[in-house]
Amino acid sequence: MRSTLENVKILYYSRGCEEPYVEIITVRKSARSQSVCSSQSFCSSQSVCTSEDEEEKLPVLNQSSCILQQHHIQRLVDALPPRVQGTVWTLVYSTNDHGTSLRTLYRRTAQIRRPVLLLIKDMQNQVFGAFCSDTLKVSDKCYGTGETFLFTFGPEFKTFCWSGENSYFVRGFLDSLQLGAGGGRFGLWLDADLCRGSTFSCNTFRNQPLSRQNDFKIQALEVWTFQ
C-alpha cells in the first residue's frame, strides 16, 4: 500500500484497483485579524463563528482604533456598500492622535476622494457615527449621495438610510459639521472643537437619536477611509 500525505483522507479502496478514492482535506483559511485599541483587549479563547464569505468581507485595519471593537467591525461591514467591502480601512484622523479640532479634520481629509467612515464614542461609551459617500470638507451647500447613512450601537446596532425626503446629507462649516437635516434639527451635529455634539431625528434619515442624550460630549472621534 502506498504511503499517503497527511492532508489526504482515504475513503475506500475499489476492489481490484490499486488507486484509492480520496478526499483532499485543506486547512481553512483563518480570518483576518482585527486591530483594536490596546486598552480593549480580547480574550484569545473567545471565538466568533462566521462563514467563509463573512470572513472574506472582514477588513484589514492599517492602524489600531480606540473606538472599534471586533463586533463593531463585523456589523459595520455588512452595512457598507459593496464597493468598499474587502478594502483596507485607513485611519485618516483621530482626536487621540491629532487633537480636537474640526479644522485639522478637514485638513487631513482634504485630499481624499473616497467615502469615509465617521466614528464617535461619547462620554457614556456609546458608539455611533455615519458612513459618508464623500469626504468631509467645508462646503457652501449640502453634498453627498443616497449611500450616506447614520448608525448607532445603542445598544443594538441600527442603521438609518436615506429616506428620500431631502438631500441634506452633509454640510461642513469651519465651526461645525452637520449630517442630515429637516424638521429644524440635525441628525448629527459636531462643534468646532470636536468636544460636543448633538443628535436628533431628522427628515433626511428618519433616524432616532444616535446617543442616549441629545446633547453629548465626545470622548473620542475617528475618521476612516477605504483603499
Side-chain angles (χ1 to χ4, degrees):
M1 181 182 298
R2 296 181 182 180
S3 61
T4 59
L5 299 175
E6 292 182 357
N7 67 327
V8 176
K9 177 182 178 181
I10 298 177
L11 299 181
Y12 59 89
Y13 282 90
S14 176
R15 181 179 299 176
C17 179
E18 294 184 357
E19 296 297 330
Y21 289 82
V22 300
E23 175 186 12
I24 305 300
I25 301 174
T26 59
V27 178
R28 188 176 177 216
K29 183 180 179 181
S30 61
R32 294 187 176 97
S33 60
Q34 307 301 322
S35 298
V36 296
C37 184
S38 57
S39 64
Q40 300 290 339
S41 60
F42 289 94
C43 178
S44 59
S45 64
Q46 284 186 321
S47 61
V48 179
C49 296
T50 58
S51 67
E52 291 187 15
D53 288 342
E54 289 174 332
E55 289 179 355
E56 286 299 319
K57 289 191 299 183
L58 293 181
V60 174
L61 276 59
N62 80 322
Q63 197 169 330
S64 62
S65 170
C66 284
I67 298 179
L68 289 172
Q69 298 184 24
Q70 187 164 348
H71 71 277
H72 295 139
I73 297 171
Q74 290 169 337
R75 289 304 191 100
L76 283 169
V77 164
D78 290 334
L80 294 176
R83 68 185 176 115
V84 300
Q85 291 183 357
T87 58
V88 175
W89 291 18
T90 302
L91 184 63
V92 179
Y93 172 83
S94 168
T95 52
N96 281 12
D97 296 335
H98 307 114
T100 56
S101 168
L102 185 58
R103 289 174 182 258
T104 302
L105 185 156
Y106 289 144
R107 188 162 55 248
R108 293 191 61 83
T109 59
Q111 304 304 316
I112 295 175
R113 298 294 181 267
R114 295 181 297 274
V116 294
L117 185 67
L118 172 66
L119 291 165
I120 298 168
K121 179 191 282 189
D122 67 16
M123 288 300 182
Q124 294 184 328
N125 293 318
Q126 180 75 39
V127 176
F128 51 93
F131 172 84
C132 304
S133 61
D134 299 273
T135 191
L136 303 175
K137 58 189 178 183
V138 176
S139 57
D140 57 3
K141 60 183 179 180
C142 293
Y143 65 91
T145 72
E147 281 187 322
T148 304
F149 65 85
L150 304 179
F151 62 85
T152 183
F153 291 89
E156 297 177 355
F157 179 63
K158 294 181 180 180
T159 60
F160 304 97
C161 299
W162 181 37
S163 67
E165 293 189 32
N166 62 46
S167 298
Y168 302 149
F169 299 111
V170 185
R171 187 170 182 185
F173 297 88
L174 288 176
D175 61 354
S176 66
L177 177 64
Q178 304 169 1
L179 293 94
R185 293 177 173 178
F186 303 110
L188 181 59
W189 178 91
L190 304 175
D191 72 357
D193 297 322
L194 299 181
C195 292
R196 296 177 181 273
S198 63
T199 175
F200 293 90
S201 176
C202 71
N203 293 347
T204 310
F205 302 107
R206 287 295 175 188
N207 59 290
Q208 67 183 45
L210 306 180
S211 176
R212 293 188 181 93
Q213 296 181 329
N214 294 119
D215 298 309
F216 58 85
K217 293 182 180 180
I218 298 172
Q219 180 182 161
L221 183 149
E222 296 176 349
V223 178
W224 295 78
T225 190
F226 308 89
Q227 294 182 330

